[in-house]
Amino acid sequence: MPGVLPVLNRAAYELGIRAALALHCEIAPFTKFDRKNYFYPDLPKAYQISQFDIPLSRQGWLDVDVAGRALRVRIHRAHLEEDAGKLLHPELREGGDPADDGGGGGGVRAGRAGYSLVDFNRSGVPLLEIVTEPDMRTPEEAYEYLTALKRVLQYSGVSDCDMEKGSLRCDANVSVRPRGSETLGTRTETKNLNSFKFLAKALAHEAARQIKVLEAGGRVVQETRLWDPIAGETRPMRSKEEAHDYRYFPEPDLVPFVITPAEVERIRAALPEMPAERCARFVEQLGLPPKDAEVLTTDRGLAEYFESCVALENAPRAIANWLLGDVRKEMNERHLDIESLPVRPERLVELVRLVEGAQITRLVGKDVLTEMVVSGKDAAAIVREKGLLQIADAASLGPIVDKVLGANAKAVTDYRAGKKAALSSLVGQVMKETRGKANAPLVTRLLQEKLGG
Amino acid sequence: MKVDPALVDHVARLARLGLTPDDRLRYVSELTRILAYVEKLNTLDVAGAEPLVHPFEGRNVFRPDAVQASPPPEDGLANAPDRIEKFFKVPKVIE
């Protein structure tokens, strides 16, 4: 609005430092803001408040796993700036109705409308820009870097990283060079990458385009391009290439900011353990298989749920198996996430104890879990109400085993003729008779005794 | 720094100003004089002086992270030269 003056939001400054620390950056003890001057309709005051020569932080790194290989991506800097308005370039579709092309849906391309639209709702909102060094060589590496970055930002509580809401966006620079060459080629910047998948596609397309230009004897122009998800290609974004002359100068409306080492340490101390470190701890201290540890730590909520369970019952592998197996299945089927799952850690642990303590079978446990999710009751109550306690005494199981043997003469003959596989079908029949409540090892032993005799 | 017509044209384009040939000549001479005046600063010895980034001594002026009432969207849109629904309508900026 005309006449409005800027004031920095304290949380934006602290979250920026928190993100920078999570990315192992050096924090500037003194930082300031600058005006970046340019005319574009997303910015009606014709300058963006940004940081030029003394950014909030510099020189960090993030370790990324690319198909089992470790890649260290260096962070050049992370600085605060204000967001600009959101530009929409309506597409004229068949029938001539302009429609927002941001979603990248279907529709028949009939050219652009003769205007652009601006939504100013996010202008002036604090934005942290994280710039890497040119350390990624393939679209896959860029994809994995962003995945790791998103995890760190979510973990550290800096952002929900919801790309649909624009809380994480990315612009990708790419250049090509002849094999063996040490110097990077001229780069282009691609915008409008609203998913990681689009990013990988756009980079692959843009690199191929540059190679074609160079092989035809042409020259790559340093420019900003726009990814068009419908056409699957990048196109020059600005109608004519602007000379980049932003004429930065110190922002007179904001005084500088200083932070003491003690304050930096206070923010660092409040950082949660990062996913890579947590994953390593789950493997080394809790004895989880690396694959399980990785899946558990991808989502901070899931990792914390798991840790709450382990704190109540020191059975990490059993708990991990439940979480990554049946609990995840229940969540997927019912579109729940770990935060909205009605079964809280203490309740899940009760179920795990019932199974580990052999009071109910694993098979019955699955049904009890479903019932817990649906009814919100605790495991013990469900087991009691439905009479689901494990049958683990030979006296109760004997008659059932006899009945199954009598009704399955063919399987008995097969087994005695040497087809050992027939045994598992008989075990299955006993489980069916007992609705999964029979203790499987005991059933196997009883069957073997009776068949062998 | 030498001010010539080409530099004036460049600055005018960055500032979105349309200059007549007379304007251009006038600005060459005026900007030359202004820059010559400011050039005097380059004769001073500033070795050891901290660059001044802000004339005020104040530091760390923040506002709390609290949601405040926003003006109604219609007030903001009242300044739009042209609009479609809740958007400002502007000349097309991409090909």
Side-chain angles (χ1 to χ4, degrees), chain A residues 16-28 55-62 73-79 128-132 145 149 152 264-265 268 271:
Chain A
I17 289 175
R18 193 190 291 183
L21 287 172
L23 296 170
H24 315 94
C25 288
E26 291 167 17
I27 305 301
L56 186 77
S57 65
R58 304 173 189 267
Q59 290 183 330
W61 49 266
L62 180 61
V73 177
R74 289 169 300 155
I75 307 293
H76 176 63
R77 59 189 271 165
H79 69 254
L128 184 73
E129 181 162 304
I130 301 166
V131 184
T132 72
Y145 160 72
L149 178 67
V152 164
V264 172
E265 287 317 307
R268 195 197 303 275
L271 272 178

Side-chain angles (χ1 to χ4, degrees), chain A residues 200-246:
Chain A
K201 272 191 191 171
L203 282 175
H205 169 275
E206 179 55 18
R209 186 193 69 84
Q210 291 184 11
I211 290 169
K212 220 190 256 173
V213 167
L214 293 176
E215 284 182 345
R219 184 178 74 83
V220 173
V221 183
Q222 185 167 345
E223 63 183 353
T224 304
R225 300 175 69 88
L226 195 69
W227 171 246
D228 181 336
I230 301 171
E233 60 179 30
T234 66
R235 286 203 299 266
M237 183 169 163
R238 299 198 159 105
S239 35
K240 63 178 172 236
E241 198 44 33
E242 303 283 336
H244 282 293
D245 188 347
Y246 292 127

Side-chain angles (χ1 to χ4, degrees), chain A residues 416-445:
Chain A
R416 287 189 170 138
K419 278 174 80 178
K420 299 297 172 199
L423 186 65
S424 60
S425 107
L426 290 167
V427 173
Q429 288 299 317
V430 176
M431 293 312 264
K432 204 172 154 195
E433 283 291 319
T434 58
R435 288 182 294 132
K437 292 188 290 182
N439 176 288
L442 180 60
V443 170
T444 307
R445 192 163 58 79

Side-chain angles (χ1 to χ4, degrees), chain A residues 126-204:
Chain A
L127 179 87
L128 184 73
E129 181 162 304
I130 301 166
V131 184
T132 72
E133 297 289 352
D135 287 348
M136 290 156 273
R137 295 289 171 266
T138 62
E140 189 198 6
E141 289 182 1
Y143 182 96
E144 294 299 339
Y145 160 72
L146 276 171
T147 306
L149 178 67
K150 177 176 168 180
R151 204 177 295 163
V152 164
L153 294 176
Q154 285 176 331
Y155 249 76
S156 49
V158 170
S159 171
D160 61 11
C161 295
D162 186 337
M163 294 192 84
E164 279 178 30
K165 285 192 224 139
S167 45
L168 176 71
R169 303 201 293 275
C170 62
D171 302 336
N173 286 277
V174 67
S175 66
V176 297
R177 56 179 166 177
R179 198 177 293 278
S181 163
E182 292 288 317
T183 7
L184 298 172
T186 304
R187 68 174 191 268
T188 63
E189 180 179 0
T190 300
K191 290 183 180 281
N192 198 32
L193 301 170
N194 48 18
S195 80
F196 292 178
K197 231 193 300 177
F198 282 161
L199 167 106
K201 272 191 191 171
L203 282 175

